[in-house]
Every structure is written in C-alpha cells, then in structure tokens.
Amino acid sequence: MSFKASMAGFLARLCKADRNMAENLHNPPRNTGALDIVRFTKKVRVKNWDIRGFKGVTINGSYPGRGHILMLPGGAYSLEPGKHHRRIAERFAILDHMKVSVFQYPLCPEYTAVDVRIILMEAYERLVSEYPDDLFFLFGDSSGGGLALAFLQELRDRGGCPMPLRTAVVSPWLDISLTNPKIKIARKTEHILPVEELMETGKRYCGGLDIEDPFVSPIYGTMDGLGPVLMFSGEEEILTPDCELLTEKMEKVSGTEFVYRKAAGMCHDWILIPCRETDVTLDLIAGFFQEALEAE
C-alpha cells in the first residue's frame, strides 16, 4: 500500500471520519458548487444542462472520441458531488479522450428513489438523443455505484433505449438495509461509513419503495443481460460483504460478464483519495471502457 493511502486510512481514524459523515447525513450541505463551470480546469470544455432543475455537466478535453461516460457520483444518496468527483471526470476527459457527463440526481431527504427513477431515466434519454453517435458507459462510486447497477436493470426491463456498452462501479451500496450478518465483522475495519446513520438514510431514500426493491437494493434484482460489469470494493469497508455476495450470485446469470476486484487494505471509495491505488483503479476502468471502443 502506498504512503498516501496508508495516511488516508490513519487520518480517517484520527479525525473520526465516520462521525463527520454521520453529521453530514443528518444535515446534508447544499449548494457546494463542485460542478460549477468555474471550478473545472481550463483543459476541458464544459457544457451545463439540467433535467427539471437537476444539474448536469458534460465535459470533454481535446479531440474527444465517441466514448461517453455517464457518471453517477456517490454520497449516500444525500451528499452533493465533491471536488474529487470533478477531478475523476477531468481525468477521463483529458487522459482518455472521452466525454463525461456528471449528473446530480435528486438527493435525500428532499427527494426519494421514486423521484430518482424518473429523473435519471429522463437524463439518460436526453444524453442519448443529444449525442446519437456516442457510445455510452456507466460509472458510479458508493451509492452512485449502487444506483448504476439499479439503473442498468431498469434500462434492460424498460427497453427502447440503448444499454451502456459497459459499466464500472467502485464500493457500490448494493443492499440499502445493510443487514448482511458479515457487516458486523467488517465494521471493525470501517472508519468512514457510519452504519446506523446509513440505515436511517436508506429508509428515507426508499420513499414508497420496499427495501428489497431492485432500484434501491440492486442485489435483489435479476442480473441477467446487463452486459460487461467491472466492480471494485475495498478490503476494509462494510459494503464488501454484499459485493462478495453479489459475486456469488453472478455465477448463475447469463448475458452479464462480471469481474470483481477486491483491493487489499483499501478503505471505502478510495478513488476519492489522490494516491497510487486510485490511479491504478482508474486506469483499469479506463482500459475496460477503451477495450469496448476498440471492438466497435
């Protein structure tokens, strides 16, 4: 493990990151402005758009190809994207010559999954219509990763709209209830996510949906026909037991090519930390997407 990754874990414990997260979930900050056009590097072009007032940005660097990533940022379905989400989007745009659309879907507690289901579909349909020649990919971290896998099932079941070529998720929240018994063991090494507060947030996010509805807990859905999926989780996070459970489930599906990588010693959503392990993970995701583009 790199020095920066080790220090990030140490600081998370020292600064009681889970308590800070719990406070933010009780009173989520708003209008943080991480996706404001002036915050992006001048190396990318930025286009603002919105769906019923919910903000999206599409960025690209020099000589963009046909690849287009729809990025769903994490934050326990409650927190706005941060500067590190912006940095990741810029990285894909500049280094990999892909368009990246970051969408701030409706957030809890003001909205629920019922709203997200409608608005996210409208956002995707708009992008596909506006960029008809692009080849789309889906990428999400933490709750955004769970939402990506839920949305894949929604697209498959609804039909009429092209499926993303490939999907990559990091530390996805797969079961909103967090009732996997192995989570009790995983809590010993988790220093970022507060379990009780997440469970409360999850109930609010469900709205009128059952906690086992695949749109809020994609692990309970049917995983056939989702195309190639690449999933990462950290060895020291409470969401890994469900990632392992989903991996077992994927052994019995058809039409879904699934690859799971568990990162040794890594914390939840480590790609938000500037470190060597983050660079490696993002390189693997970019390569996973580029491989599909080369095959077209």
Side-chain angles (χ1 to χ4, degrees):
M1 184 186 299
S2 69
F3 174 75
K4 287 185 177 180
S6 298
M7 281 301 298
F10 171 75
L11 290 174
R13 294 189 292 272
L14 181 66
C15 300
K16 296 179 172 57
D18 56 342
R19 293 187 184 179
N20 293 332
M21 171 70 83
E23 292 176 3
N24 283 334
L25 291 180
H26 282 301
N27 187 24
R30 292 291 181 257
N31 301 314
T32 56
L35 298 182
D36 289 352
I37 192 169
V38 296
R39 301 286 185 92
F40 284 88
T41 174
K42 296 187 182 301
K43 294 180 181 179
V44 299
R45 291 184 290 273
V46 184
K47 179 180 180 180
N48 289 321
W49 49 276
D50 75 90
I51 300 293
R52 303 195 198 185
F54 296 100
K55 183 176 181 178
V57 295
T58 297
I59 70 171
N60 63 267
S62 302
Y63 311 108
R66 296 176 64 198
H68 194 148
I69 301 172
L70 172 55
M71 180 174 169
L72 303 177
Y77 297 114
S78 304
L79 306 177
E80 295 180 355
K83 63 181 180 180
H84 298 301
H85 290 107
R86 186 177 67 245
R87 173 182 56 81
I88 291 170
E90 291 172 341
R91 180 248 187 255
F92 285 130
I94 296 169
L95 296 184
D96 302 299
H97 305 287
M98 302 183 76
K99 298 184 189 74
V100 184
S101 290
V102 187
F103 183 51
Q104 182 49 79
Y105 46 86
L107 295 175
C108 183
E110 297 95 326
Y111 302 93
T112 71
V114 177
D115 305 295
V116 176
R117 172 177 261 157
I118 297 169
I119 299 298
L120 180 54
M121 183 63 74
E122 290 185 12
Y124 184 70
E125 289 175 340
R126 170 174 175 162
L127 290 171
V128 169
S129 175
E130 187 171 349
Y131 301 93
D133 296 326
D134 285 359
L135 301 171
F136 281 85
F137 301 93
L138 199 53
F139 168 65
D141 67 297
S142 192
S143 56
L147 180 57
L149 293 177
F151 186 56
L152 266 185
Q153 297 177 54
E154 193 85 357
L155 283 171
R156 177 203 59 204
D157 295 343
R158 176 169 173 169
C161 205
M163 294 281 286
L165 281 186
R166 294 189 171 188
T167 299
V169 297
V170 177
S171 298
W173 190 358
L174 298 173
D175 183 348
I176 206 79
S177 70
L178 295 173
T179 52
N180 188 324
K182 292 184 178 180
I183 288 178
K184 292 182 180 180
I185 300 174
R187 291 183 70 168
K188 296 177 181 179
T189 56
E190 175 64 76
H191 303 288
I192 295 176
L193 297 179
V195 177
E196 285 78 12
E197 286 76 12
L198 281 180
M199 293 173 71
E200 293 175 9
T201 299
K203 291 177 182 177
R204 288 194 296 269
Y205 174 69
C206 285
L209 301 180
D210 186 83
I211 59 172
E212 292 189 3
D213 188 296
F215 196 77
V216 294
S217 297
I219 196 170
Y220 294 108
T222 303
M223 294 294 168
D224 298 278
L226 301 182
V229 176
L230 175 61
M231 182 176 74
F232 297 84
S233 75
E235 190 176 47
E236 298 188 352
E237 63 170 310
I238 58 169
L239 301 184
T240 287
D242 283 330
C243 289
E244 294 171 336
L245 190 60
L246 179 63
T247 302
E248 295 176 10
K249 184 174 182 177
M250 285 295 193
E251 295 176 358
K252 303 176 183 179
V253 304
S254 61
T256 301
E257 302 167 36
F258 183 77
V259 177
Y260 171 48
R261 295 177 179 269
K262 182 164 63 174
M266 299 309 294
C267 63
H268 173 70
D269 212 3
W270 68 92
I271 60 169
L272 302 185
I273 304 167
C275 64
R276 177 172 55 81
E277 289 81 358
T278 289
D279 293 337
V280 170
T281 304
L282 296 179
D283 283 343
L284 288 171
I285 292 171
F288 179 64
F289 291 161
Q290 292 290 350
E291 183 182 53
L293 292 174
E294 293 169 4
E296 289 295 317

